[in-house]
Amino acid sequence: MIVGLTGGIGSGKTTIAKMFYKLGVSIYIADIEAKKLMNTSEVIQKELIEAFGEETYINGELNRSYLSNIVFNQPEELQKINSIVHPRVGQHFKDWYHERSNEKYVIKEVAILFENDSYTQCDKIITVVAPIEERFRRILLRDTTTREAVQSRMNNQWTD
């Protein structure tokens, strides 16, 4: 069984995922796996460079700030990156899950579970919510960013 774990940025998904992990449940964190794939998959790297330019990678590492500035301010560019990365993450999850198919259930943590139709792979769904100001507080403590940048990311996610 696949249990989807979702919620907006700063809602507490990671805290909930850690609780399940302590119980021995296998956890797939889509954002982490996507970042890994963006740095290791030659196919993804090639397509991202074609779509966003040579500045997308610096010395073989994803230039996250460059890419974030593009995609979180232009919905059509966000769609472009999603169309490159999400299908590969989806396949990566299927391979990961296949290796764990004998487990009672696994957790698939995805911030945009509904936006990218990943919910269709899930048997159950847990949505984590938190007050908006608490979410801002958590993110600003955790990341080197601005309130405006956080708001821009929130604007690209569905509401609770």
Side-chain angles (χ1 to χ4, degrees):
M1 174 170 40
I2 300 170
V3 178
L5 177 62
T6 193
I9 185 171
S11 63
K13 293 180 304 297
T14 301
T15 299
I16 301 300
K18 287 177 183 176
M19 294 167 84
F20 278 102
Y21 182 78
K22 286 180 183 177
L23 295 171
V25 178
S26 294
I27 312 290
Y28 184 91
I29 301 178
D31 283 350
I32 290 173
E33 299 304 327
K35 289 171 187 165
K36 287 180 188 175
L37 288 170
M38 291 168 77
N39 277 310
T40 60
S41 167
E42 291 179 15
V43 173
I44 291 175
Q45 288 179 10
K46 179 179 180 280
E47 290 182 21
L48 289 176
I49 290 169
E50 286 174 4
F52 301 104
E54 293 293 329
E55 303 87 1
T56 304
Y57 288 87
I58 298 174
N59 299 322
E61 289 290 315
L62 184 66
N63 185 348
R64 292 182 61 209
S65 61
Y66 168 77
L67 208 48
S68 293
N69 286 335
I70 294 172
V71 301
F72 288 116
N73 294 311
Q74 300 174 57
E76 66 281 355
E77 298 300 312
L78 182 59
Q79 284 295 102
K80 193 183 299 182
I81 193 172
N82 287 346
S83 70
I84 293 169
V85 178
H86 287 184
R88 273 66 175 223
V89 173
Q91 184 57 53
H92 186 262
F93 172 77
K94 287 178 186 175
D95 296 341
W96 178 90
Y97 179 63
H98 180 72
E99 295 172 5
R100 290 156 183 82
S101 59
N102 63 328
E103 296 181 25
K104 187 174 180 179
Y105 66 97
V106 299
I107 301 288
K108 180 182 184 184
E109 191 260 75
V110 183
I112 56 172
L113 187 73
F114 293 101
E115 294 91 327
N116 70 13
D117 291 336
S118 292
Y119 74 94
T120 60
Q121 298 175 329
C122 301
D123 301 292
K124 303 285 183 188
I125 297 172
I126 298 169
T127 302
V128 182
V129 296
I132 194 78
E133 286 305 317
E134 177 63 14
R135 292 170 59 192
F136 274 113
R137 186 188 70 75
R138 290 174 181 168
I139 299 161
L140 293 171
L141 282 172
R142 178 188 75 194
D143 301 345
T144 305
T145 190
T146 64
R147 188 175 176 94
E148 293 76 25
V150 173
Q151 185 65 59
S152 177
R153 289 183 180 199
M154 287 180 174
N155 291 344
N156 286 299
Q157 295 180 341
W158 285 8
T159 64
D160 295 338

